[in-house]
Structures are given as C-alpha cells and as structure tokens.
Amino acid sequence: ISDETMTYNVLLLESLPEGQRSVAGIYSSEDLPKGWTVCFAVDDADAHVERARSNGGKMLSEPVDSPNGRYALLQDPNGATFSVMKMAWMPAG
C-alpha cells in the first residue's frame, strides 16, 4: 500500500477469511518515525483520532482511506506510536 508520502507493507495470515488476512504492517516514510507499529481495529478511525488528541496524544498522519480500511498514525503522550483502523471488512455503523 503506498501513496506520495508513505509505503506500507502488510503481513497476511492465509488461514484467516479472504479480506480479513491483514494482521500487521510496517511503513516507510521520510516524515514519520521508522518501524513497526501496533494497529488497533476500531469502529470509527476519525473519532478515535479525536479521542487520542483530547487525551494528550498527537496525530502523526491524517486519517486516510486504503484498500484495507481507514487508518491514522498516532502518538501517545509518552511518545509511543500506534495506528487505528476501521477495517474495510467491518460492517458499517
């Protein structure tokens, strides 16, 4: 998965159902910290970005749509990075 600012490689687990196999990823970007990050599946990525920011976290990348879902990269008040993603296969609502 890539765009003009980042390349994101996904680890797939073949034993999961089609469309739900993405279990981990690593990104490469000149603008963001390097390395693996944990990604939490959430019901609304944008709402969780705002929740993190209101609790002292930082948004490192705006929420964006990808083939796997809508995601954003965040940083907690202690500097740890993590992602949130509304997975594409999750039902709406």
Side-chain angles (χ1 to χ4, degrees):
I1 303 168
S2 339
D3 63 23
E4 58 278 352
T5 63
M6 178 174 25
T7 300
Y8 189 79
N9 296 296
V10 178
L11 176 66
L12 302 175
L13 189 58
E14 294 295 323
S15 63
L16 293 174
E18 183 71 35
Q20 299 180 26
R21 294 181 175 160
S22 175
V23 296
I26 189 167
Y27 55 88
S28 175
S29 170
E30 295 301 318
D31 302 325
L32 298 170
K34 305 283 188 248
W36 289 92
T37 183
V38 63
C39 185
F40 297 100
V42 297
D43 57 352
D44 184 331
D46 296 84
H48 280 78
V49 167
E50 290 309 313
R51 182 176 179 195
R53 290 170 78 178
S54 69
N55 285 290
K58 295 180 186 175
M59 179 178 59
L60 300 180
S61 71
E62 294 279 340
V64 295
D65 294 316
S66 78
N68 290 313
R70 185 163 178 80
Y71 72 94
L73 181 64
L74 304 168
Q75 186 176 54
D76 75 15
N78 295 310
T81 59
F82 63 99
S83 299
V84 293
M85 181 181 289
K86 163 76 185 236
M87 303 301 291
W89 54 265
M90 292 173 71

